Amino acid sequence: MLFWRSYAENRFNEWYYPRCCGLQSVSKWKVFWYGFTEYQLSQKIVQVAAGLPESFVQTRPDVKDEPDLSRPSTWTESKPTSGGSSDGKPSTATTNQDIVFKALEAI
């Protein structure tokens, strides 16, 4: 089972359409899924995906519309911690992954 969301106006949605098993538009999002066809599950997934906080900054002054592939990206991906911070204390950071897992546990 896989699901993802994209802004409704995202130009890459055309690429997602033939690759998903289903999709639903919710507010400013298109929620896509792959690997299941059950209606009730898809509605719960849409609810979870639409309720997640935004993952990326919408506009950045240093990023153009088209990516500059001649230089390395300055974006870094958040990596979940494995139980603690570098000082040995438990991490209290909540990642989008944590939010998704908690929401899916309720399904």
Side-chain angles (χ1 to χ4, degrees):
M1 172 174 66
L2 172 70
F3 70 94
W4 66 98
R5 70 177 185 192
S6 175
Y7 286 111
E9 70 277 0
N10 185 337
R11 64 185 172 163
F12 293 106
N13 287 342
E14 292 294 323
W15 188 85
Y16 296 144
Y17 294 144
R19 289 162 176 80
C20 68
C21 293
L23 74 102
Q24 184 173 337
S25 295
V26 179
S27 184
K28 63 182 173 183
W29 302 109
K30 288 199 181 281
V31 179
F32 299 87
W33 58 88
Y34 178 83
F36 61 93
T37 57
E38 298 84 9
Y39 177 77
Q40 289 181 334
L41 179 58
S42 69
Q43 294 309 293
K44 290 179 181 179
I45 293 296
V46 167
Q47 183 179 12
V48 167
L52 290 172
E54 292 190 24
S55 305
F56 298 102
V57 175
Q58 289 184 336
T59 56
R60 288 184 40 165
D62 61 324
V63 177
K64 301 172 192 164
D65 287 341
E66 296 295 325
D68 179 1
L69 301 178
S70 67
R71 63 180 173 84
S73 174
T74 57
W75 287 59
T76 57
E77 202 174 308
S78 303
K79 294 189 174 135
T81 59
S82 58
S85 61
S86 60
D87 61 4
K89 296 179 182 175
S91 173
T92 57
T94 301
T95 64
N96 280 352
Q97 180 180 353
D98 296 331
I99 295 168
V100 170
F101 286 146
K102 286 178 185 174
L104 290 176
E105 286 174 358
I107 295 178

